[in-house]
Amino acid sequence: MELTGGQALVSTLIQNDVKEIFFIPGIQLDWAVEALRQNTGAIRQFVPRHEQSTTYMADGYYRASGKPGVAMVVPGPGVLNAGAGLATAYGSNSKLLFLAGHIHSSAIGQGYGQLHEIKDQTGVIAGLTKWNARVRARSEIGPTLQAAFAAMHEGRPRPVGVELPYDLLIQKQEEPAPAMAAAHPPVQQPQTTDIHKAAVLLNAARFPVLYVGGGVLAAGAAVQLQRLAEKMGAPVVMSDNGLGALSERHVLAMNTLAGRTLFEAADVVVVIGSRFMDAMTPSPSWPSERIQYIYINVDPADLSAPRQAAVAIQADAAATIDALAQAVDQRVVLSAQEALKVKAWAQVQIDAVSPQASFIRAMRAALPEDGIFVNELTQVGYLSRVAFPVYQPRTYIGPGYQGTLGYGFPTALGAAVGAGGKRVLAITGDGGFGWSYQELATARKYKLPVTLVVFNDGHFGNVRAIQRRVFGAEVAVDLENPDFALLARAFGVPSICVTTPEALGAAIRASLSEPGPVLIEVPVGEMPSPWHLLRLQPMAGLKLPDAPPHPLPARKSR
């Protein structure tokens, strides 16, 4: 059977179990879009109002569902617009297939001034993906897509990219029998000798601690993690990316603020599926002078300097945690009573940051336990990193190390698609929301169950706070905002304005019965900084208020 290149593309997507695609049509994609039309029953199409939202939505889709997200845009400006979402997906370890149209194959690199041509599109995409390829002949479309899926599923989850010159999407050729879906590579098992070394170190440790990142969620290792933590009776400190790996209801589950006091007492730390690097300086998240580290990661880059590993295990997180759980001694490192004291120690400091803490409590109480929370870069969002309890894997989505302002709302839309009807609660500031006002149309068009809370202070609030603290003055931070209620009404989206945490909680609960999106505006004033509570070690230069007394007694050697 003769197929166009566009039909071959869509056929390969279907073979690899792609059910949804996020794209914006354009002339270089016409033959791919026509093939999608011919297969509407097989692949649902979501068309946002800005190309950056294609990759944000695909990222949110993966993070909520665990299934690869697929985004497609035209070349040149389409690729550049989608770059922010692609960078966020890369920084957040998301499986994403990025399909980029291209100019005529014979004109690439010639500088003829073709429509949407940029100098080195391949280089742009290479910098935002772990694997990329440009199709050079019609016959390569199917095999290149299969190679992209195989690369996506191998090793550390990150985006992959495929460029598709438009003339090759038009060309027809006899297509061979449909290939099987790209096989997932076998799970990388740990070496028995490494497990033995790690177990010996842990069994001899006075106060071992487990520190987990997004790699635990990517490996689907939540059950294995709980088994290991309970056998050792050891606390589990979760990074921003690792939230939900162990339910906050578990007595051993700790945020990074609680982690400060645990790391002060620790002599051995197991770092699982995390870069374990400070966000602002090229150094590990915690010094190595008094602690021996066991690093477990599928990516060898995260086992190397400047980290200092007593044991480094390059392997799948689930397989390694499972093997460790069998090898370590049954013990109680941290009693339930001590664990509750550590949690209370952290909570006292969180509650002092008001009104953010009150808004966070109201949001958590109103959102169902399996509802998905998308956190943004706003004053309430910063504190949420340590203050918003997460009860299930894949129900918390953060910005990752890219820290891309405005990513939250379009990412939440993709999460709503991936979550299959679960309510998504997304927060943003009035500054960040300015990146994606237009996606209210997308939310309404597809009736996506997203409750968007806009905390409106009329400024780029965090930038203003930093300017005042460092320079004693402010500039370029005031905003001219629309009437958010009128804006929502223009898009046919229900909205409400509330001013208290109690009213916010009631509005979120009411939104749960809506069939589609809801916008909640919360006018707020200037808020106190939460930054002294974030990360294992506070950022340098911050004035730190006195913390409550250390809640843990000194530990004796085993």
Side-chain angles (χ1 to χ4, degrees):
M1 181 178 180
E2 277 200 332
L3 298 180
T4 66
Q7 290 170 324
L9 165 66
V10 173
S11 175
T12 308
L13 295 179
I14 293 171
Q15 291 161 21
N16 284 277
D17 203 32
V18 172
K19 304 294 185 186
E20 286 88 11
I21 185 170
F22 307 95
F23 74 100
I24 292 181
I27 191 166
Q28 288 94 348
L29 299 176
D30 281 351
W31 292 80
V33 173
E34 168 58 15
L36 285 171
R37 184 196 65 78
Q38 296 166 355
N39 291 274
T40 298
I43 300 180
R44 289 198 297 165
Q45 304 160 29
F46 293 88
V47 181
R49 299 299 296 271
H50 194 295
E51 284 149 337
Q52 71 173 2
S53 296
T54 61
T55 44
Y56 281 137
M57 290 179 75
D59 177 23
Y61 177 88
Y62 168 74
R63 290 207 257 171
S65 69
K67 297 183 293 184
V70 180
M72 183 170 70
V73 295
V74 298
V79 168
L80 297 174
N81 282 333
L86 200 57
T88 298
Y90 186 94
S92 301
N93 304 302
S94 294
K95 290 185 179 182
L96 191 156
L97 172 62
F98 183 57
L99 302 173
H102 215 317
I103 63 174
H104 195 286
S105 59
S106 64
I108 294 173
Q110 301 302 312
Y112 294 149
Q114 301 279 284
L115 178 66
H116 297 339
E117 180 180 2
I118 57 175
K119 184 177 180 181
D120 184 13
Q121 177 171 295
T122 300
V124 171
I125 296 172
L128 300 171
T129 57
K130 71 170 182 177
W131 180 98
N132 70 298
R134 189 176 83 222
V135 174
R136 298 175 184 273
R138 160 63 186 85
S139 59
E140 293 181 2
I141 290 178
T144 302
L145 264 291
Q146 295 286 27
F149 277 104
M152 182 198 302
H153 294 310
E154 184 175 6
R156 187 195 197 117
R158 273 177 172 163
V160 297
V162 175
E163 294 175 276
L164 299 151
Y166 80 86
D167 56 308
L168 305 184
L169 294 173
I170 298 172
Q171 288 180 18
K172 285 186 175 182
Q173 76 168 40
E174 195 78 20
E175 194 71 14
M180 298 292 290
H184 288 238
V187 167
Q188 188 170 355
Q189 298 290 332
Q191 296 291 321
T192 303
T193 53
D194 289 337
I195 295 296
H196 176 71
K197 290 177 186 177
V200 168
L201 194 58
L202 288 169
N203 290 337
R206 179 186 72 255
F207 192 78
V209 171
L210 307 176
Y211 182 93
V212 302
V216 172
L217 296 173
V223 171
Q224 293 89 337
L225 175 67
Q226 182 171 335
R227 187 182 305 128
L228 174 62
E230 290 176 348
K231 186 171 184 185
M232 294 175 60
V236 177
V237 179
M238 290 170 282
S239 73
D240 291 357
N241 288 341
L243 291 172
L246 185 64
S247 171
E248 178 65 27
R249 295 199 186 284
H250 199 289
V251 71
L252 294 172
M254 305 286 175
N255 57 37
T256 51
L257 175 57
R260 292 180 186 179
T261 190
L262 297 168
F263 269 68
E264 287 287 354
D267 58 340
V268 175
V269 171
V270 187
V271 178
I272 311 172
S274 171
R275 297 179 185 87
F276 202 67
M277 291 293 292
D278 183 80
M280 296 297 291
T281 60
S283 58
S285 296
W286 194 272
S288 302
E289 287 80 7
R290 296 184 296 100
I291 297 176
Q292 294 188 83
Y293 288 93
I294 300 166
Y295 283 97
I296 299 167
N297 209 295
V298 74
D299 189 341
D302 289 344
L303 303 172
S304 58
R307 306 164 192 87
Q308 297 178 27
V311 182
I313 304 176
Q314 184 188 348
D316 175 77
T320 306
I321 297 170
D322 191 49
L324 266 181
Q326 297 177 52
V328 295
D329 293 342
Q330 183 86 41
R331 60 188 289 199
V332 178
V333 170
L334 187 70
S335 70
Q337 183 180 18
E338 290 175 321
L340 291 174
K341 286 182 180 179
V342 172
K343 287 173 177 275
W345 177 86
Q347 193 62 47
V348 166
Q349 298 171 79
I350 289 168
D351 290 342
V353 182
S354 180
Q356 294 102 303
S358 297
F359 282 122
I360 292 166
R361 279 195 300 272
M363 292 190 298
R364 178 66 275 182
L367 184 68
E369 289 205 3
D370 65 347
I372 295 168
F373 178 65
V374 180
N375 197 11
E376 249 283 10
L377 297 115
T378 185
Q379 294 304 308
V380 175
Y382 296 130
L383 187 63
S384 292
R385 298 179 183 185
V386 294
F388 191 91
V390 183
Y391 302 127
Q392 297 181 20
R394 299 196 178 278
T395 59
Y396 175 91
I397 295 175
Y401 70 76
Q402 279 297 317
T404 317
L405 186 62
Y407 93 101
F409 182 41
T411 301
L413 300 181
V417 177
K422 291 180 184 177
R423 176 61 54 170
V424 176
L425 174 61
I427 66 172
T428 189
D430 49 328
F433 188 33
W435 268 248
S436 57
Y437 294 154
Q438 73 284 345
E439 299 307 346
L440 288 169
T442 306
R444 179 73 271 168
K445 177 179 180 179
Y446 299 106
K447 297 181 174 59
L448 298 176
V450 174
T451 301
L452 177 67
V453 180
V454 182
F455 291 98
N456 178 9
D457 69 353
H459 293 81
F460 290 121
N462 196 57
V463 178
R464 177 175 63 166
I466 293 171
Q467 289 179 350
R468 286 184 174 182
R469 184 178 73 245
V470 177
F471 306 108
E474 62 184 72
V475 64
V477 292
D478 57 313
L479 301 173
E480 188 66 31
N481 286 323
D483 180 324
F484 287 115
L486 184 60
L487 181 70
R489 187 158 63 251
F491 285 102
V493 173
S495 71
I496 187 172
C497 181
V498 301
T499 58
T500 67
E502 295 76 18
L504 175 59
I508 292 171
R509 282 189 289 272
S511 76
L512 302 180
S513 61
E514 287 286 340
V518 174
L519 186 149
I520 303 172
E521 180 187 1
V522 186
V524 294
E526 194 169 354
M527 295 183 177
S529 172
W531 281 98
H532 60 287
L533 301 181
L534 307 185
R535 306 195 183 105
L536 277 177
Q537 294 188 93
M539 289 177 61
L542 290 181
K543 183 179 179 181
L544 304 180
D546 290 336
H550 198 289
L552 291 177
R555 287 306 205 266
K556 295 180 180 179
S557 299
R558 285 201 96 193

